[in-house]
Each structure stands twice: as structure tokens, then as C-alpha cells.
Amino acid sequence: MNAVEIDCVTKTFGKAVVAVDDLSLAVPAGTVYGFIGPNGSGKTTTLRMIMNILYPDRGSIRVFGAELHGACTDRIGYMPEERGLYKKMKVRELLEFYGGLKRNGNVRGEVSRWLERLDLTDWANKKVEVLSKGMSQKVQFIATVVAGPDLVILDEPFTGLDPVNTDVIREAVLEFQSAGTTVIFSTHDMGMAEKMCDFIFMIFKGRKVLDGTLESIQSEYGSDTIRVRAENGAGKITDIEGVERINNYGRYQELRVAGDRDPHDILSTIMARTRVTSFEITKPSLHDIFVRIAGEEAREVCNV
Amino acid sequence: MSKLWKVALREYKATVRTKGFIIGLVLAPILMGGGAIGMALFKDRVDTRDRRVAVIDRSGLLAEVLVRAANDRNSQVVIDRESGEKLRPAYLIEIVEPHETARDSQLLQLSEQVRRGQLHAILEIGEGVLHPRKHRETAVIAYYGANPALDEVRQWVGRPLNEELRRLRLVGAGIDPTTIPDAFDWIYPESLGLVSADPETGEIADADRSTELQALLLPLIPVMLMFLMIMMGASPLLQAVTEEKSQRIAEVMLGSVKPFQFMMGKLVGGVGVSLTAAAVYVVGGVLFVRHLELGEYIPYGILPWFFAFMVTAVFMYGALGAALGSACNDATEAQSMALPSMLPVMIPMFVMMPMVMNPESAFAIGLSLFPLFTPILMLLRQGTPSGIPLWQPWIGLFLVALTAILFVWAGSRIFRVGILMQGTPPKLGNIVRWAVRG
């Protein structure tokens, strides 16, 4: 059973901008699906179309097997990229309002449970406008999940969160998964996507460029990467024949080996120049794959 | 509870619970009626400094009379007999001999004295005032002052001068005025409504006395209240929607409610706000007026129409405001939209006076049946003493309801597109395209 099925969907804005171009995608129920892609590549438009906030020009979108025409979707919790909270309302009041819109009956107990879990109980009767950015992000997260949706869509849930809160949200997401909830989230944090997602989907200029498990994506690229740590690494590891690209991470370097070269030869060349303290011949990281696809323009947005 | 009602309830609470609403509820009538109340309070607080007026009497007939009349007045109304307090200014008449050759320079010299504050004004009485038909050129009474049009002394001098002139004309005709003391008494025609018979007893009742209060002020009160209610219930929607759009609240909301439910919820909330405020004013107003024992002036018959027009008006103007608000991107754009969106409410306020004077003219009927103006103008015409045929408010209400439905429909289409459209300026072309295409 697929939670979401996107079938040949195209969405244009005006005449010139094709935000999503002939996209097809299936999100199996109970999985965590990561949406990656450079800014402006169509992630948010796709998420909004799943939410039925935007309508596709062509193609169809089915959520839990049904097409949602003009109906809003109480089984989905949606957290947009930018925070949308009524600033003058009190935290608890706001959460009960948002929760009540999705679910009939009392959400008070759920609200209390989530406030406690995200360490916001002391702020329950404060107005939203006094919250810090991280706190309002957490409030927004609660608003998304408080009604107990079957599908949770999170647009960049981790931006602006400190490591402690990132972990809290990450654990909550994984807990949803184990409870059978489907989670779709978009992120620029490739490490987070690698760690959390069952499936990764990459959209670039409105088109699907990657879709599958991390392993299947990486295996498409083969073991063409050498991760090496050496004395004076950055200075010594330059201009090596057979290396297409070097990513310098400071304490170690990542080398992409040309298809027709043997990584062992490259390693020998490096060892002849300097003292290698550790090395690993590995599959390319998601970050590297992202950069390979999106090129120069994407590098700024995925500084991992 | 449906989502629409949940949205409406939130909107209602968000407005009614604020201090601004409660303060506004108290302040609005004070500001609107403030002028009248202020004038009533300060009516007796007049400037009691004496008014020194120079009189140049070229006829030689009136100066002395004026001095006597001023003295009579001063002895009667200036000092309160019981408290000894000075209530009004005394009028002090100074007779100035007319300069035969240099009239202009004499006037200039006296004007300078007025400017320096030594005199209040100059009264110049022409030579031919006794027989104006014979001496048209010189039958003039001229009053020179710093602010002559609104001058109380100018308003006062007319009567004693003319009474004396009439007396002199009778004497000139050989009649002793004391033999006909009521020769110049004036009887004002009273304004009365039409006589009607009691349908049960057949008894003919006295006609109601019709006053200016009834003819001018009474029709205005429900209209002012309507204006206030539209300002409270409908106008804030424009800014509120823009705010929800720019703060991305709309996107969260649209994940839970349909655009139509969202907008309609806001409108219902707005109607709730204006019903609350109107109830406070109407109940408060009726109790207050009854307390003043003026209960007969309360137009109970208009109240149901007032509420019917108010509810439809808030839907109509509110949908207009919400649609425009969804097309704006920030507070500045919303600000520049505020005036055009309020024009349909402002224009009727400017044509109120001609409407009250002639409520049954074709102009009045036509304009009051134009749905955007109906809630205010129809109500105004209904409040006039003569009233209007009953079919007119019914047709008006029907058209307003129809327009409100059309606006809500088109507005929700604009709203749905506009609310997510960041960075597109609110041009008329865009708005119309969104309404047509959805």
C-alpha cells in the first residue's frame, strides 16, 4: 500500500516557470521518505500539491488510494517551511485550535503530552510572540502532529534547531515510523537524510533525478570514492592523475576516482607523497551525489 | 462542530477579547457623538469680555435707539441675578460722528482700533435706511469685524434696528404704533405629520409634531451605527488576511481547512463581532433614550432591517476586503488597498444630506438600490419621517444578499490563489484573472 502516489504531475506558474515537470513517485506507507534538492527545485511545490493546497496542471496525486479534489486532508499533518503561528494566541490555545481543526473531540490531553515531551509545559500559557525561534519551531511541530495523522509532511523541520532539539524531533519522527505513520520530509541536511530515510528522492529543476534507498542510489555510483586522512593532507593531495574531484573537509579529504582508474593506484600515489594516517575506499556520500547532480549552484545550500 | 465554525469562533474570540475592542466599543460613540456632547457641555462657556462696537450713523435715526437696546439687553442677560456671575458679554455702543469727506480713512482708522483690540467691530448705518426703495444706494447697514459672518453682535443688531425703522415708517405714515402693538408679530408655521385614524376605534388622532431632530438627526443615528459596525466587522479583514498570508499562517490553515471554509469562517467571525457590538449599542441606546423619556423617537420598526442589512453588509464588504487582502503581500500594500476597499462605504456617507432632504427622488431611489450602497442609503431613507414604500428595502436586501453571495464566491476564488501567491503585486488584472479562473 502506498501512502502517496504521484502520477505524471506537472505544475507551472505563469507561462515561464515549470516548477514540477512530469513527476511520478510512490511513497510506501510506514516509511520515512526524504525529499532533497537545491532551493527552488520544486520540493515545496510537490509537498503543497500532496497537501492539495496547490492543484497540479496535469497528472494525478492519490493519498491513501484516493484522489483529493477540493477536499482538505485530515489524515495528513503538514508543517510548512516557514512558521505560521498566530502570534497573539497562547501556546496551548493555539495548539488546541490547530488540533481541533483536524480532529473532532478533545485534543487537550494530546497537547499536554506533546508540550511535556518537547519541554514546553512552562510556556503553555505564554503568547506565541514571546517564544524563541527554536521554541516556535517545536510548537509548529506539535501543531502538525497533535491530531495523530497517518501521514506527516515536514518541510525543512530541522532548520534553526539546536542539536538537542534536533534529536528530540528526530526521535519523534522515528517513533512515528515505528507506529506505522508515513513521514515525508524535505531537508538540505544530507547527513540527516542518510541517517533517517528509508527512501531518498531528489528533485532538480522540477524533475526527478534520484529515487530509491540510500544503498541503491549509492550503488549506482559504485565504490569510486577514497576518504583519506594524511599529514599536511590538503597541501599534498592535489593534482593527482585519475582524480576527478577533491572535496576538502579540513581534517580529511574525499577523492572521486575516475571510472577507468583503480583506487589502489591513487592511494599509492598519495602514500608516496605523504604519510597517510587513515583511509577508506567507499561509496560516494549523499552530499557528493547531490553536488554531482546539482553542480556549482547547489554547493552553497548543502554545507554539511 | 464544523471547521468553519471553529475558524469563526477563533476569529471572534481573537477580536472580542482584545483590549482594543473594548476600548473601541466605548470610544467610538464618544468620538462620533463627541462633537454634540462637547458643544452641549461647553455651550455656556462663552467669552464674556465686553464687546465695544463703534456706530457711525449717517441716517441720524438709529444710534441712540441702539444704545438703549444694548443697555436693556445688558441689564437683563449679562449678569446672573442670583449668583451675580457674569454669564454673557455686555454690548457697549460707542457713537462715532460720521466724517463727511474722508469716509474711507475714518473706516481705516477704526479698523486699526479693531485690530489692536480696542474695539470689537464697526457698524455703519447708511443715510437712506428709512426708505430703502427710494434710496437703494444708501440703504445699507454694514458691519465690519474680524470674523463678521459668525459674529453674535451682528446677529443681534438686526432686530432692534429694523424694529425702530418699522416704527418710524408707521409714524411717517401718520399711524400711532402704540394703537396696533401686534403690527409686526410673526407666526411661524408649525411642521406636523399627517393625521391618521385609529384602525380599531376610528378615532382621529392628533398629528405628530415633526421636528428637525426627527427629520435630520433620527435617520442618521442608525446609519452612523451601521457605518461603525461595518468598520468593526468587515474592514479589519483586509489587514488580517494580509497578515496571515505574510506570516504563512494561511499555509498551515489551508492544510486543515478549505479556502472557502477559511474565508467564510473569518466572515462569520466578523459578523459575530458586529452583532455583539450592535447589540451593546442598540440595547444601551434604547435604555438611555428611554431614561431621557424620549422613547417615542426610537424607530423600533427599523431595527430588524438594521440587523438584516448589517449582517449582509459585513459579508459583502468583508468578502471584498478578504479577497483584496489575500492579493497583497505586506502591510504597505494592504494599507494602499484600504481606501479603495472602503470607498463603497464612504461614498454613501457623502450623499447623505441630499438623500435626507429628498428621500423619494429618483436619484435617491436609484442610488439606494445599488447593492454596494444599499445597506447605508436604504436604511437612511427608511429612517426619514415620510418613510419609503416597503418593496424598496425588500428589493434592496435581496440585491445585497445576492451581491454578498457573489462576492463570497469570487472572493474565495481570489483568496485561494492569492493567499499562496508570494511576491505578485495586487494588480486589478491579476485579481480578476484569479476570480475568473479560480
Side-chain angles (χ1 to χ4, degrees):
Chain A
M1 164 93 174
N2 287 326
V4 180
E5 284 169 32
I6 300 177
D7 192 20
C8 303
V9 160
T10 299
K11 177 74 189 174
T12 53
F13 292 112
K15 281 173 191 149
V17 188
V18 182
V20 174
D21 191 3
D22 196 27
L23 176 72
S24 295
L25 185 72
V27 178
T31 57
V32 177
Y33 222 102
F35 277 33
I36 61 172
N39 291 340
S41 56
K43 291 190 300 290
T44 299
T45 306
T46 307
L47 296 179
R48 283 179 176 174
M49 282 195 291
I50 297 173
M51 279 311 294
N52 211 34
I53 292 173
L54 293 177
Y55 302 154
D57 299 335
R58 275 198 303 282
S60 67
I61 296 178
R62 296 155 92 70
V63 178
F64 296 115
E67 254 182 75
L68 303 155
H69 264 296
C72 53
T73 39
D74 288 349
R75 293 177 72 189
I76 314 179
Y78 171 55
M79 173 162 153
E81 183 180 353
E82 284 174 80
R83 307 304 148 233
L85 302 170
Y86 285 102
K87 293 199 168 70
K88 297 282 173 200
M89 284 178 90
K90 289 177 181 163
V91 171
R92 174 182 289 283
E93 209 177 23
L94 178 91
L95 290 173
E96 285 175 7
F97 170 64
Y98 277 152
L101 282 179
K102 290 265 181 198
R103 194 167 84 176
N104 280 321
N106 205 346
V107 289
R108 213 180 154 77
E110 277 296 288
V111 169
S112 303
R113 193 174 72 80
W114 276 104
L115 285 174
E116 200 179 319
R117 168 141 190 207
L118 296 194
D119 202 19
L120 284 170
T121 309
D122 292 345
W123 299 85
N125 291 317
K126 298 263 183 358
K127 282 190 177 171
V128 172
E129 59 191 350
V130 305
L131 300 184
S132 71
K133 195 180 166 203
M135 280 193 260
S136 43
Q137 182 120 334
K138 288 198 283 183
V139 170
Q140 187 88 56
F141 180 78
I142 300 177
T144 310
V145 299
V146 73
D150 298 322
L151 168 63
V152 175
I153 298 177
L154 307 167
D155 200 352
E156 312 255 355
F158 301 108
T159 33
L161 286 182
D162 63 36
V164 176
N165 284 321
T166 303
D167 283 350
V168 172
I169 302 276
R170 188 169 52 83
E171 277 164 28
V173 168
L174 294 175
E175 202 177 289
F176 281 131
Q177 187 197 17
S178 52
T181 306
T182 312
V183 180
I184 296 176
F185 74 90
S186 76
T187 184
H188 286 309
D189 184 338
M190 296 302 127
M192 191 67 83
E194 278 181 345
K195 275 184 268 179
M196 287 178 66
C197 298
D198 301 318
F199 295 94
I200 288 164
F201 156 74
M202 178 169 172
I203 185 169
F204 181 54
K205 292 184 175 166
R207 290 182 160 272
K208 178 163 81 174
V209 287
L210 292 177
D211 183 19
T213 59
L214 180 62
E215 292 72 32
S216 72
I217 290 169
Q218 285 176 323
S219 61
E220 275 177 41
Y221 288 83
S223 296
D224 66 349
T225 300
I226 304 173
R227 202 171 291 152
V228 60
R229 187 177 291 183
E231 286 176 7
N232 301 321
K236 299 284 181 184
I237 306 175
T238 50
D239 297 329
I240 300 171
E241 207 183 321
V243 173
E244 285 178 344
R245 183 185 168 78
I246 300 170
N247 284 328
N248 181 13
Y249 291 105
R251 295 185 59 214
Y252 67 91
Q253 284 74 38
E254 216 174 69
L255 285 67
R256 190 194 304 164
V257 181
D260 56 342
R261 294 303 183 105
D262 187 349
H264 287 266
D265 297 341
I266 309 285
L267 203 56
S268 308
T269 313
I270 298 169
M271 286 168 79
R273 290 188 190 178
T274 182
R275 192 177 179 81
V276 172
T277 51
S278 75
F279 72 92
E280 186 184 9
I281 297 174
T282 178
K283 289 170 182 169
S285 67
L286 192 57
H287 173 93
D288 192 30
I289 294 171
F290 185 105
V291 175
R292 286 186 205 187
I293 295 169
E296 296 291 323
E297 60 176 304
R299 208 165 310 146
E300 282 174 24
V301 297
C302 57
N303 273 328
V304 186
Chain B
M1 190 164 51
S2 85
K3 295 183 176 187
L4 194 157
W5 289 109
K6 287 177 185 170
V7 176
L9 191 66
R10 197 212 74 84
E11 288 295 321
Y12 178 76
K13 280 194 207 157
T15 311
V16 173
R17 273 193 197 163
T18 56
K19 288 187 197 84
F21 176 77
I22 295 163
I23 294 170
L25 208 59
V26 178
L27 274 187
I30 293 179
L31 288 178
M32 284 200 154
I37 296 169
M39 272 160 73
L41 280 178
F42 293 106
K43 196 176 67 177
D44 295 332
R45 307 254 158 190
V46 290
D47 179 3
T48 56
R49 283 175 301 176
D50 292 344
R51 307 279 194 266
R52 197 173 287 278
V53 179
V55 176
I56 308 168
D57 184 9
R58 296 184 197 282
S59 69
L61 303 168
L62 299 172
E64 296 294 338
V65 177
L66 201 59
V67 171
R68 271 203 304 281
N71 288 341
D72 282 353
R73 174 196 168 275
N74 292 347
S75 65
Q76 279 166 17
V77 298
V78 172
I79 308 286
D80 185 81
R81 290 211 178 120
E82 283 169 25
S83 65
E85 194 187 351
K86 187 172 182 186
L87 295 177
R88 293 188 178 80
Y91 298 164
L92 306 174
I93 307 297
E94 274 182 24
I95 301 173
V96 179
E97 283 306 312
H99 204 291
E100 292 307 328
T101 50
R103 174 175 171 268
D104 292 346
S105 62
Q106 185 182 25
L107 277 176
L108 176 68
Q109 191 200 343
L110 289 169
S111 294
E112 287 301 329
Q113 288 188 38
V114 175
R115 286 194 184 97
R116 283 198 295 269
Q118 294 159 343
L119 280 177
H120 175 70
I122 309 149
L123 185 71
E124 188 189 22
I125 298 167
E127 218 174 319
V129 285
L130 187 58
H131 297 296
R133 292 175 198 218
K134 245 193 269 173
H135 313 284
R136 274 186 201 284
E137 296 292 308
T138 54
V140 178
I141 299 175
Y143 187 89
Y144 304 86
N147 185 13
L150 300 176
D151 197 310
E152 54 166 281
V153 185
R154 183 185 70 82
Q155 285 160 15
W156 173 80
V157 292
R159 181 175 275 269
L161 291 180
N162 279 296
E163 273 180 0
E164 176 61 10
L165 285 172
R166 284 168 174 172
R167 198 189 65 79
L168 289 173
R169 285 174 202 141
L170 286 185
V171 173
I175 301 164
D176 180 2
T178 51
T179 57
I180 32 172
D182 54 3
F184 297 111
D185 280 13
W186 185 273
I187 297 165
Y188 285 95
E190 251 183 272
S191 56
L192 291 168
L194 297 175
V195 172
S196 55
D198 190 311
E200 280 167 25
T201 61
E203 201 176 317
I204 296 170
D206 283 345
D208 289 334
R209 198 168 291 266
S210 171
T211 59
E212 283 180 359
L213 171 90
Q214 214 176 344
L216 287 176
L217 198 60
L218 284 186
L220 290 188
I221 291 172
V223 168
M224 291 313 248
L225 198 56
M226 173 72 81
F227 180 76
L228 201 64
M229 291 306 106
I230 292 168
M231 284 293 168
M232 274 183 167
S235 330
L237 278 180
L238 178 101
Q239 304 251 351
V241 168
T242 305
E243 209 174 285
E244 280 168 0
K245 177 180 172 178
S246 65
Q247 292 177 4
R248 304 297 198 277
I249 294 167
E251 203 177 334
V252 181
M253 290 297 294
L254 291 185
S256 302
V257 297
K258 291 182 219 171
F260 178 79
Q261 289 173 322
F262 189 22
M263 190 174 115
M264 202 60 183
K266 297 185 81 68
L267 290 175
V268 172
V271 169
V273 169
S274 35
L275 278 176
T276 307
V280 169
Y281 287 140
V282 168
V283 172
V286 165
L287 291 180
F288 179 67
V289 171
R290 285 191 159 188
H291 176 74
L292 296 179
E293 294 181 347
L294 293 169
E296 54 178 315
Y297 287 114
I298 300 171
Y300 290 106
I302 282 185
L303 285 180
W305 287 105
F306 170 79
F307 281 103
F309 277 126
M310 187 190 78
V311 170
T312 45
V314 172
F315 272 116
M316 182 169 69
Y317 299 126
L320 187 68
L324 290 176
S326 71
C328 298
N329 294 296
D330 53 38
T332 323
E333 281 179 9
Q335 195 65 46
S336 58
M337 275 287 175
L339 183 66
S341 78
M342 273 347 272
L343 271 185
V345 192
M346 306 299 275
I347 292 170
M349 302 302 277
F350 296 130
V351 295
M352 278 197 316
M353 270 305 147
M355 287 266 167
V356 174
M357 301 290 207
N358 293 305
E360 303 223 45
S361 67
F363 168 76
I365 294 172
L367 218 54
S368 67
L369 282 175
F370 178 62
L372 281 175
F373 300 159
T374 303
I376 287 180
L377 291 184
M378 193 64 81
L379 200 67
L380 180 76
R381 294 177 56 232
Q382 283 177 284
T384 54
S386 57
I388 53 172
L390 197 59
W391 63 267
Q392 291 184 6
W394 275 112
I395 294 276
L397 186 62
F398 174 73
L399 291 177
V400 173
L402 211 63
T403 312
I405 291 169
L406 179 76
F407 275 25
V408 169
W409 175 80
S412 69
R413 289 165 75 88
I414 296 167
F415 186 82
R416 191 178 73 74
V417 185
I419 200 93
L420 292 170
M421 195 71 79
Q422 302 289 348
T424 312
K427 285 184 195 152
L428 188 65
N430 287 340
I431 295 173
V432 171
R433 203 174 61 236
W434 297 341
V436 174
R437 284 203 207 148

